[in-house]
Amino acid sequence: MAQFTLYNKHSAPPSSDSTRVDCEHVPLCSINDVQLRFLVPDDLTEVRQLCQEWFPIDYPLSWYEDITSSTRFFALAAVYNLAIIGLIVAEIKPYRNVNKEDKGILPDSMGRSADVGYILSLGVHRSHRRNGIGSLLLDALMNHLTTAERHSVKAIFLHTLTTNQPAIFFYEKRRFTLHSFLPYYYNIRGKGKDGFTYVNYINGGHPPWTLLDHIKHYASKVRHTSSLCAWVANRVQQVVRWFYHKLLTRFNFIE
């Protein structure tokens, strides 16, 4: 897998040409030419313009101020020739603080002490899609959330429009599973649009058990108990045979 560098916006990336290039006309030749860095306040105008081009949702200015300056967010940019060509924005929060429609992601017993990662946004410039940029950004987030110090994070989830087939295909390919259907979840230009919730379980997390899961669990217990009983019975038979053999040998010796 290619190696990538995290660098600060104000230091030049490792490139022979530091001139900014219009991404619209320069195809990405190699993913090795992409660098990752966290967003900074100076990115606000550029990120706002990109999100308005990529997404149908109108985010308020305060949202852009937060993701480019607050450490609350994991806001990572993919940069090519000094231009942002992709970004991912996520946050970690206690499961008990998620919205009502997302409460069924984890079992109640696990959710009391667990955290979850929520992907607010993931986008790639149209000219650079299908080059692995989205996977690169998502991998960076996954690596961030699966370290030992973040073991409390048991799931990563997101919402997407039911009509966004490229996003659905992308997340399903990355082992996200459909969790729920959210009718009229989005309000886009005054119209209600349906959404899906997709989840990827990490660090030992798992969804709440269904009735079928409970049946399988108890069936496994019964099989295990039956096997254990058979093993114990076999051992008892061996011990009885051993005592019988010893007793018979001693009786013959006395005679």
Side-chain angles (χ1 to χ4, degrees):
M1 184 175 178
Q3 298 296 315
F4 306 96
T5 305
L6 285 171
Y7 73 96
N8 187 283
K9 178 180 180 178
H10 301 293
S11 62
S15 172
S16 58
D17 181 8
S18 60
T19 304
R20 187 179 181 120
V21 181
D22 183 3
C23 295
E24 193 69 41
H25 304 293
V26 181
L28 182 61
C29 298
S30 171
I31 200 169
N32 292 306
D33 298 325
V34 177
Q35 291 82 39
L36 298 181
R37 65 166 175 81
F38 292 105
L39 295 181
V40 296
D42 288 349
D43 293 321
L44 190 150
T45 301
E46 183 178 8
V47 169
R48 188 180 187 188
Q49 180 181 354
L50 290 172
C51 288
Q52 288 173 344
E53 293 175 1
W54 297 346
F55 309 120
I57 301 172
D58 295 324
Y59 295 106
L61 178 62
S62 59
W63 187 80
Y64 295 102
E65 292 173 341
D66 286 342
I67 67 171
T68 55
S69 61
S70 175
T71 55
R72 167 189 164 195
F73 296 98
F74 179 90
L76 198 65
V79 179
Y80 177 66
N81 281 358
L82 298 181
I84 296 176
I85 61 171
L87 62 87
I88 187 169
V89 181
E91 64 175 323
I92 302 172
K93 54 186 177 181
Y95 178 69
R96 61 180 179 274
N97 292 346
V98 301
N99 295 331
K100 182 179 179 180
E101 64 268 18
D102 301 314
K103 283 292 186 182
I105 291 175
L106 294 175
D108 291 338
S109 58
M110 181 182 293
R112 284 193 290 268
S113 59
D115 295 321
V116 290
Y118 177 54
I119 299 176
L120 290 84
S121 182
L122 172 58
V124 177
H125 196 285
R126 183 177 294 103
S127 298
H128 299 286
R129 289 171 188 168
R130 289 184 286 277
N131 279 294
I133 306 301
S135 295
L136 174 63
L137 290 164
L138 184 58
D139 284 341
L141 174 62
M142 297 287 285
N143 291 337
H144 176 72
L145 297 181
T146 52
T147 56
E149 58 268 29
R150 296 179 183 86
H151 189 72
S152 63
V153 181
K154 300 301 181 183
I156 306 173
F157 74 103
L158 62 104
H159 300 119
T160 185
L161 286 163
T162 58
T163 55
N164 192 346
Q165 291 300 319
I168 291 171
F169 177 79
F170 171 78
Y171 286 115
E172 288 183 346
K173 188 177 179 181
R174 298 306 305 270
R175 298 184 178 180
F176 282 74
T177 57
L178 177 62
H179 176 266
S180 57
F181 169 68
L182 305 172
Y184 303 107
Y185 182 75
Y186 294 96
N187 185 347
I188 299 176
R189 300 180 181 90
K191 294 184 179 180
K193 300 290 184 179
D194 299 335
F196 286 139
T197 301
Y198 272 84
V199 185
N200 190 342
Y201 293 97
I202 59 174
N203 299 327
H206 61 81
W209 278 10
T210 64
L211 177 60
L212 181 59
D213 291 324
H214 284 286
I215 292 174
K216 289 181 178 178
H217 173 72
Y218 287 112
S220 175
K221 287 275 190 180
V222 169
R223 287 196 299 270
H224 177 73
T225 303
S226 299
S227 299
L228 180 61
C229 290
W231 180 84
V232 171
N234 183 55
R235 297 296 293 178
V236 169
Q237 287 180 353
Q238 291 178 358
V239 171
V240 169
R241 290 195 189 100
W242 182 82
F243 271 111
Y244 179 77
H245 176 73
K246 286 291 185 180
L247 183 62
L248 185 61
T249 302
R250 184 175 181 182
F251 179 78
N252 290 336
F253 178 76
I254 292 175
E255 286 186 340

